[in-house]
Amino acid sequence: MANHNRDDLVVLRPEGLYCPRGDFHIDPWRPVPRAVVTHGHSDHARSGMGQYHCASGSLPILRWRLGEQTYHAHAYGEPFTLGQARVSLHPAGHVLGSAQVRIEVDGEIWVASGDYKRQLDPTCAPFEVVRCDTFITEATFGLPVYRWPPTPSVAADIADWRRECGERGEAAVLFCYALGKAQRVLAELMAWDAQPVLLHGAIAAGVEVYRQAGIVLPETRPVTEQARGTDYAGQLVLAPPSAAGSAWMRRFRHAQQGFASGWMRLRGNRRRRNYDRGFVVSDHADWPDLLRTIEQTGARRVIATHGNTDALIRHLCEHGVAAEAFRTDFGDEQ
Ligand SMILES: [Zn+2]
Ligand SMILES: [Zn+2]
């Protein structure tokens, strides 16, 4: 199905997405000499690369997750040269410092989106539409059923849920990804709830990185600093999904468990994982925003990565856009 030709600015290699004219990879999953990394999630930022090119805003996150490496940080929109390619990074609106990669060679322009969303997020720069000939888009939620409610209303629901839990003598333990989602939920909660939020250690580390980068977040306290026998009724606690069902949970005795994720749009996902509540908040584009973004880029050709590429490709082909998929190792942050 793929009709690649040798002029393609990005091709799929066993190591990951590769730009032959610039001799660099984008978010490679195997060690390579030169990587352009779109953001800090573990399926995009891996150790073992000779050089890391990233957006300046992503640098503290990469340092937190990968330690000291050879980093080349670039301001958004500032072009740099790799091989014969003129490269620049542009906000993707996904997490702090996340970037799309714009590649230009001989007037031809390709953009690799990395992960992105269009909803406003107080913890990162908003997505920038970059016009291009070929757009490599993520398609994590590439099905028409995925449509996101406004995040402020979801934050209000979370605040209400915490109060309801308090009335029943329960803690409200909310599971969310430690990089991006937790900080976004915290920032959105500030408008609805003045009570400090308790954090699992894995979440606290990332929250500190965001604070150091100047992102305003509400008051938080580490769960580990709470005295033995603390009554957690009415407390909101953020924890990574890996803490669900672990011994760490026992301290709460009476607790409701919620999950903040785009996957919660499907009720079956919540029931299967035994969450009491699902809150639909995602750092990826929903179906209408995928289609809107693809149209706005003006791309004549689209290459989809991540999850549900089939429905998106079919839809685009039916609407006269040449669309295909790259089979990648990108996942869902976990
Ligand atoms: Zn991501
Ligand atoms: Zn991803």
Side-chain angles (χ1 to χ4, degrees), residues 27 38-44 94-95 98 114-116 138 140 179 283-284 306 331-333:
D27 296 345
T38 61
H39 67 288
H41 280 141
S42 53
D43 55 326
H44 292 260
H94 174 58
V95 299
S98 64
D115 294 343
Y116 68 95
E138 66 136 317
T140 305
L179 167 52
D283 289 329
H284 298 270
H306 294 71
D332 173 39
E333 330 301 357

Side-chain angles (χ1 to χ4, degrees), residues 254-331:
H254 307 291
Q256 286 230 346
Q257 302 185 35
F259 188 34
S261 167
W263 301 114
M264 295 298 99
R265 179 68 181 77
L266 299 187
R267 215 160 279 150
N269 284 340
R270 176 171 67 76
R271 276 199 295 260
R272 250 195 310 282
R273 302 218 231 163
N274 276 318
Y275 296 120
D276 301 300
R277 290 289 297 270
F279 297 97
V280 182
V281 43
S282 175
D283 289 329
H284 298 270
D286 64 4
W287 175 258
D289 280 348
L290 285 173
L291 299 184
R292 177 166 69 105
T293 303
I294 289 165
E295 194 182 338
Q296 289 174 341
T297 64
R300 291 172 279 109
R301 183 173 164 202
V302 169
I303 302 171
T305 66
H306 294 71
N308 295 299
T309 54
D310 290 358
L312 181 65
I313 289 167
R314 206 176 317 121
H315 179 95
L316 292 172
C317 289
E318 282 167 11
H319 289 77
V321 178
E324 66 204 85
F326 273 161
R327 232 165 246 300
T328 64
D329 275 11
F330 303 135

Side-chain angles (χ1 to χ4, degrees), residues 12-193:
L12 188 61
R13 288 269 180 92
E15 302 81 24
L17 306 184
Y18 178 67
C19 173
R21 302 288 291 274
D23 191 24
F24 65 90
H25 289 76
I26 301 169
D27 296 345
W29 40 85
R30 292 191 198 160
V32 300
R34 196 153 61 164
V36 175
V37 172
T38 61
H39 67 288
H41 280 141
S42 53
D43 55 326
H44 292 260
R46 300 173 195 248
S47 51
M49 312 304 159
Q51 293 176 26
Y52 291 79
H53 288 265
C54 66
S56 310
S58 197
L59 193 55
I61 292 173
L62 295 183
R63 282 214 168 100
W64 162 40
R65 307 208 103 177
L66 304 176
E68 260 330 304
Q69 306 283 346
T70 306
Y71 295 115
H72 300 272
H74 305 274
Y76 284 138
E78 205 121 285
F80 53 101
T81 303
L82 294 177
Q84 299 164 286
R86 182 184 153 98
V87 182
S88 53
L89 304 175
H90 303 264
H94 174 58
V95 299
L96 181 62
S98 64
Q100 309 172 70
V101 185
R102 181 187 186 276
I103 305 163
E104 182 174 348
V105 177
D106 298 336
E108 164 118 3
I109 299 164
W110 286 46
V111 170
S113 74
D115 294 343
Y116 68 95
K117 72 170 174 291
R118 304 300 300 271
Q119 286 184 307
L120 285 184
D121 177 341
T123 67
C124 64
F127 180 92
E128 177 189 326
V129 173
V130 182
R131 302 278 297 178
C132 56
D133 300 300
T134 298
F135 186 50
I136 304 175
T137 181
E138 66 136 317
T140 305
F141 290 103
L143 287 172
V145 67
Y146 291 112
R147 283 159 206 265
W148 311 144
T151 317
S153 76
V154 179
D157 289 346
I158 293 171
D160 287 344
W161 174 58
R162 179 192 72 71
R163 289 183 198 106
E164 291 158 22
C165 286
E167 284 158 19
R168 283 191 302 263
E170 297 168 317
V173 179
L174 182 63
F175 298 109
C176 46
Y177 300 134
L179 167 52
K181 185 69 60 64
Q183 294 84 355
R184 181 183 179 199
V185 166
L186 284 171
E188 293 278 5
L189 271 172
M190 288 176 80
W192 306 100
D193 204 342

